[in-house]
Amino acid sequence: MMDDETFAMYREAGVIAAKVLRRGAEMVKEGVSILEVVEATEAMAVDEGAMLAFPLNVSLNEDAAHDTATPGDERTFSPGDLVKIDLGVHIDGYIADTARTVDLGSNGLLVEASRSALEAAIALVRPGVTTGELGAAVQQEIEQRGYRPVANLTGHGLHRYDLHGPPTIPNIGISGGATLEEGMAFAIEPFATTGSGRVSERSRTEIYQQIAQKPTRLPSARRILELSRKSHGLPFARRWVGGDKVEIGLNTLVRSKILHPFPVLHDVSGSLVSQAEHTMIVTEDGCVVTTR
Ligand code: CO
């Protein structure tokens, strides 16, 4: 069960996320600066009265997730790009996480595969259903269109100021899994790929999250931890850290296991990955999708 006040905040976050993601996606066009889209979309979320739950992810083509603009990013969208935009905002810690894919080429069926998989899974959500059943529905919708689901990326439970708690929602059929209960909040996020169906880490990292509290004397590291504190311990972007010696600060904090890095995740070179994501709350007889 979830109290009305909590539900209202999840809902408010969801309404803002839906509106901002739609407007951000409309800005994605050939020749447009990635940094411009990222900064404008993040600013819109704040203008609407929400806080960011993580940096706006903009991941291209075989990159599935965890990319965002670098500081001073000079990249622009190219003809044919398949662009995943993943937005997370929160109201007082209650998170809405939603993503869509913008197709600057002709990959409509691949985009439809992740979107239909998401809708098929949402249609099953109700108390008593297992996450394994949701994963099976996702897998079936994607495979019947001739693509692969990304097996090592999953949907995730949402808790106050916590982006990746239980339950985990697989993108493939597994036996069992968690049983859904009324009042659970989570995001389902199918990824469909023309590649291998597994993502690996690139060397480039733009997004970090604090995982431990330890004292540090390095000024740049202290600045980074101050940013993390202001972000309520949620993930932040290298781009958000001001001042100099940012690289040294980040590397030191990762080495001392105070920060966890989230490297860009990619499928095989030359493949294409699509993504769709909504956040929902389980009700007595189904669910409310907060991010429509
Ligand atoms: Co998510």
Side-chain angles (χ1 to χ4, degrees):
M1 287 294 282
M2 180 182 285
D3 64 72
D4 292 351
E5 224 172 295
T6 303
F7 181 84
M9 285 190 275
Y10 269 116
R11 195 75 188 96
E12 190 185 345
V15 168
I16 293 171
K19 179 173 167 185
V20 171
L21 181 68
R22 193 181 330 111
R23 288 210 236 137
E26 282 165 7
M27 294 175 66
V28 175
K29 294 199 169 80
E30 188 183 322
V32 169
S33 146
I34 293 179
L35 180 61
E36 204 178 293
V37 169
V38 168
E39 286 185 334
T41 306
E42 289 181 348
M44 269 191 271
V46 175
D47 286 347
E48 292 286 334
M51 285 182 76
L52 293 164
F54 53 83
L56 185 74
N57 282 214
V58 176
S59 307
L60 306 178
N61 304 323
E62 72 258 39
D63 290 343
H66 297 170
D67 201 359
T68 188
T70 60
D73 204 325
E74 291 187 342
R75 291 176 298 164
T76 57
F77 296 108
S78 304
D81 275 350
L82 194 66
V83 185
K84 279 74 60 187
I85 315 185
D86 192 339
L87 171 70
V89 307
H90 70 87
I91 299 286
D92 207 25
Y94 299 102
I95 298 167
D97 186 358
T98 181
R100 60 166 73 189
T101 302
V102 180
D103 178 18
L104 299 180
S106 46
N107 294 288
L109 190 63
L110 181 60
V111 173
E112 188 198 292
S114 51
R115 206 189 290 140
S116 309
L118 174 59
E119 293 304 330
I122 289 172
L124 294 177
V125 172
R126 58 184 300 148
V129 169
T130 66
T131 56
E133 293 171 80
L134 303 183
V138 166
Q139 179 170 14
Q140 194 200 330
E141 286 294 321
I142 292 172
E143 286 182 349
Q144 84 189 16
R145 288 171 176 81
Y147 305 110
R148 290 194 169 106
V150 175
N152 59 341
L153 288 174
T154 64
H156 46 95
L158 296 164
H159 304 269
R160 196 173 182 209
Y161 291 115
D162 179 6
L163 194 54
H164 287 110
T168 291
I169 319 289
N171 286 323
I172 51 169
I174 58 163
S175 57
T179 302
L180 303 185
E181 290 168 29
E182 188 178 353
M184 278 181 169
F186 54 82
I188 302 180
E189 50 181 320
F191 291 81
T193 178
T194 63
S196 70
R198 292 196 74 82
V199 289
S200 22
E201 298 180 344
R202 286 198 191 280
S203 55
R204 189 159 65 85
T205 300
E206 301 297 338
I207 298 171
Y208 297 84
Q209 184 171 21
Q210 188 172 357
I211 48 165
Q213 309 272 354
K214 288 183 204 166
T216 172
R217 300 178 69 88
L218 196 64
S220 60
R222 294 172 74 99
R223 240 174 27 245
I224 291 162
L225 295 185
E226 176 59 16
L227 168 65
S228 171
R229 196 185 61 78
K230 284 188 185 147
S231 310
H232 299 273
L234 289 161
F236 61 89
R238 186 156 65 93
R239 171 172 48 80
W240 292 357
V241 185
D244 59 0
K245 305 211 165 87
V246 174
E247 283 317 294
I248 295 171
L250 288 170
N251 293 339
T252 304
L253 291 168
V254 168
R255 257 199 324 274
S256 7
K257 302 215 165 10
I258 298 173
L259 289 187
H260 177 76
F262 289 98
V264 176
L265 297 174
H266 70 100
D267 202 333
V268 293
S269 176
S271 66
L272 292 171
V273 182
S274 74
Q275 175 198 19
E277 179 176 25
H278 274 308
T279 293
M280 67 217 68
I281 296 163
V282 182
T283 57
E284 198 185 338
D285 59 355
C287 70
V288 173
V289 177
T290 63
T291 47
R292 291 252 193 237

